[in-house]
Amino acid sequence: MTYDYDAGQYGLCFTALQVSHTVWPKVFLAPAFWFFMAINLGVHYCYRHSYFDADAYGGTLHISWADCQVISSITTFFEVFYTNQSYQRYLLMHTELNEVFRAATRLIFEVKYWSQGAGAEYLRLITREI
C-alpha cells in the first residue's frame, strides 16, 4: 500500500504533529522505549537532587571524572573497532557481488557471441534466464 504525500496540502504544524503513517505508534507501544525513558527520568531525578555529588549524601552515586575518561576511551576504541569490522565486511560483500555481476555480464556476452545465428527471441530467452 502506498501513501501519496502532498507537501502543500497541510500546514507546517499539522505535518510536524502527524502520527499516522509514521514510526511513532510502534515506538510508543514498545516496552523498551518506556524502560529507557524510566531510566532517563531516574537519572535526571538523581542529578537534580544531588545524588551524584561527592559531598552531598555521602556521594552514593558519585563517579569520578577519571573513571569516566577510562570508560569513554574503552568505549570509543570498541566503537571504532566494530565500525572498521563492519566496513570490511561491507567491502568484501561489495567486491563479491561486483564479481558476480561481472561474471554474469561476461557469460551473456559469450552466449550472445556464440549464438549469433539464433533468432532474437531465443537470445532474449537465454539472457533472461541468466
Side-chain angles (χ1 to χ4, degrees):
M1 179 179 140
T2 60
Y3 179 72
D4 294 332
Y5 176 72
D6 181 17
Q9 185 177 4
Y10 303 107
L12 180 64
C13 290
F14 182 81
T15 303
L17 299 175
Q18 184 71 27
V19 176
S20 63
H21 304 291
T22 64
V23 73
W24 292 113
K26 286 188 177 186
V27 169
F28 289 136
L29 292 176
F33 171 77
W34 294 109
F35 174 73
F36 286 117
M37 182 62 80
I39 288 176
N40 188 14
L41 290 174
V43 168
H44 180 71
Y45 176 81
C46 290
Y47 178 77
R48 295 295 255 169
H49 293 293
S50 302
Y51 285 109
F52 293 129
D53 287 341
D55 300 329
Y57 303 109
T60 54
L61 299 176
H62 177 71
I63 299 175
S64 69
W65 283 109
D67 293 339
C68 287
Q69 290 174 349
V70 170
I71 291 170
S72 297
S73 300
I74 292 172
T75 303
T76 303
F77 169 75
F78 283 117
E79 185 176 342
V80 169
F81 179 75
Y82 178 74
T83 304
N84 189 25
Q85 290 294 323
S86 297
Y87 180 71
Q88 292 299 327
R89 283 184 282 171
Y90 162 75
L91 207 55
L92 177 66
M93 182 183 69
H94 178 269
T95 305
E96 295 293 325
L97 191 60
N98 199 0
E99 286 297 320
V100 167
F101 285 139
R102 286 181 184 176
T105 305
R106 283 193 302 265
L107 180 63
I108 288 172
F109 282 135
E110 191 79 21
V111 167
K112 192 174 183 179
Y113 176 76
W114 289 107
S115 63
Q116 288 178 353
E121 63 275 0
Y122 295 117
L123 188 58
R124 229 175 291 127
L125 179 67
I126 292 170
T127 54
R128 189 177 69 202
E129 294 299 323
I130 293 175

